[in-house]
Amino acid sequence: MSAKSTSGPGGKKPASVATNLIAGGGAGMMEALACHPLDTIKVRMQLSRRARAPGAKRRGFVQTGMEIARKETPLGLYKGLGAVMTGIIPKMAIRFTSYEQYKQLLSKSDGQVTGSANFMAGLAAGVTEAVAVVCPMEVVKIRLQAQHHSMSDPLDIPKYRNAAHAAYTVVKEEGFSALYRGVSLTALRQGTNQAANFTAYTELKDFLQKRSPDPSQALPGWQTSLIGLVSGAVGPFSNAPIDTIKTRLQRTPGEPGQTAMGRITAIASQMWKQEGPRAFWMGITPRVMRVAPGQAVTFTVYEYLKEKLERGREMLPGDRYEE
């Protein structure tokens, strides 16, 4: 069955919500475990004060990673992982489930999905996951990743001890709304990410399926990984400035009387004046290196688990399905 159709393999019903929940959650978990260190390096590069000093030389992503591991032990590269793991299952469940639902709503009467409908479904899915899960998860994650302390020194006690403590401290000191600081930028980033991601993935998948011996069968794992890698690289290049401003916005508490748009404008203006236009693309290398293979892992694991789970759904008389 074509990748541009709402039907499942062989013309069967689309994957169930339970399938999307399990397959999406498992895929997200594997992605987080494999790629989180690169996300920590990206955040440190985006928050680096070195880049703001006149004449200072910027650290590259390799040097940044080595510095974190040397000063804070290799475990320092996994700061904020607890926040990510806590939110990754609902995040991926919402992403894939909402995407499929939006795709069905925007599909034609025969179940075919146009390129523009697929783009809008991805955009809506990205915004949905951003508001529901991603924004509060990232506020906590960034607060943990931004801390410079050694995890091997018991006397070096950080302000935020873990994800739960960070969330509690942020709410206690800054109010519940602080967990949604930068929600508009997060929604914009996630929306454009998933719009580009799902559109590129669907087009590439459809291209390969049409040229396979049996278009109704799932693609081999290596092909899924390849198109996931390519589609995953599209989003970061399209919205890097949004991600950099968002990271700096979520890093620090808000000032009394300052609106969200006022803070966004102030941060962008300060970056432009002090660091130049290049600052808006800070951390793009580790971000692409994280997101692209991350999407390769996500789509490969998702498609594999979905196929295994859906294989148990045998057609019975009367169009009934059995799990």
Side-chain angles (χ1 to χ4, degrees):
M1 183 59 64
S2 171
K4 296 183 178 181
S5 171
T6 58
S7 300
K12 294 182 180 180
K13 289 184 178 180
S16 66
V17 173
T19 295
N20 284 320
L21 172 65
I22 298 170
M29 192 175 299
M30 290 300 296
E31 181 213 5
L33 289 171
C35 304
H36 188 76
L38 289 169
D39 186 68
T40 300
I41 296 172
K42 179 212 72 170
V43 169
R44 287 291 180 87
M45 290 180 71
Q46 290 176 330
L47 298 176
S48 174
R49 289 188 176 89
R50 174 185 290 264
R52 307 177 206 183
K57 186 179 180 181
R58 291 180 170 90
R59 284 199 185 104
F61 73 93
V62 174
Q63 188 179 2
T64 301
M66 291 177 65
E67 192 76 3
I68 294 172
R70 183 177 67 84
K71 291 184 176 180
E72 307 168 44
T73 79
L75 289 175
L77 293 168
Y78 282 90
K79 286 179 178 178
L81 180 61
V84 175
M85 294 296 284
T86 300
I88 201 73
I89 293 178
K91 169 187 170 181
M92 289 300 181
I94 289 169
R95 173 183 298 179
F96 285 104
T97 305
S98 63
Y99 169 71
E100 292 296 337
Q101 293 299 314
Y102 290 131
K103 193 167 71 169
Q104 290 182 41
L105 286 173
L106 295 169
S107 65
K108 296 180 179 179
S109 57
D110 59 357
Q112 296 300 303
V113 183
T114 63
S116 59
N118 195 52
F119 181 89
M120 291 305 299
L123 181 70
V127 172
T128 301
E129 72 176 20
V131 175
V133 179
V134 177
C135 188
M137 179 185 75
E138 291 220 337
V139 169
V140 173
K141 174 182 72 71
I142 288 170
R143 295 294 180 92
L144 288 165
Q145 289 174 322
Q147 294 185 134
H148 293 259
H149 75 286
S150 175
M151 299 181 74
S152 64
D153 185 356
L155 298 179
D156 189 2
I157 302 174
K159 179 177 180 179
Y160 307 117
R161 296 193 295 271
N162 50 51
H165 182 255
Y168 171 78
T169 304
V170 169
V171 172
K172 181 181 178 181
E173 295 181 352
E174 306 168 43
F176 183 79
S177 62
L179 292 175
Y180 279 89
R181 183 165 293 130
V183 65
S184 58
L185 290 176
T186 304
L188 183 60
R189 186 199 66 178
Q190 292 300 114
T192 53
N193 253 349
Q194 299 317 315
N197 192 15
F198 278 115
T199 300
Y201 181 81
T202 301
E203 293 295 334
L204 290 170
K205 183 179 179 180
D206 185 63
F207 176 83
L208 292 176
Q209 278 188 323
K210 286 179 177 178
R211 286 156 180 78
S212 66
D214 185 358
S216 66
Q217 293 299 312
L219 294 175
W222 70 270
Q223 289 188 354
T224 302
S225 296
L226 181 61
I227 60 178
L229 184 74
V230 174
S231 63
V234 176
F237 281 110
S238 65
N239 57 24
I242 298 171
D243 186 62
T244 303
I245 296 172
K246 177 199 72 67
T247 298
R248 296 195 181 188
L249 179 71
Q250 293 176 327
R251 166 66 179 86
T252 56
E255 297 179 9
Q258 191 176 35
T259 63
M261 186 53 66
R263 290 195 69 206
I264 292 171
T265 304
I267 290 171
S269 176
Q270 186 180 47
M271 288 173 61
W272 182 271
K273 291 178 181 178
Q274 294 184 1
E275 305 167 59
R278 185 180 173 186
F280 292 93
W281 298 87
M282 186 66 66
I284 185 63
T285 301
R287 187 176 176 219
V288 171
M289 287 184 65
R290 182 211 179 282
V291 174
Q295 290 306 303
V297 172
T298 297
F299 278 113
T300 302
V301 175
Y302 173 76
E303 296 284 9
Y304 174 80
L305 291 177
K306 185 172 75 169
E307 181 187 5
K308 294 296 182 183
L309 292 168
E310 289 296 291
R311 189 175 293 176
R313 297 177 68 187
E314 297 293 336
M315 179 71 79
L316 297 175
D319 289 335
R320 290 184 294 113
Y321 281 80
E322 185 178 78
E323 295 290 346

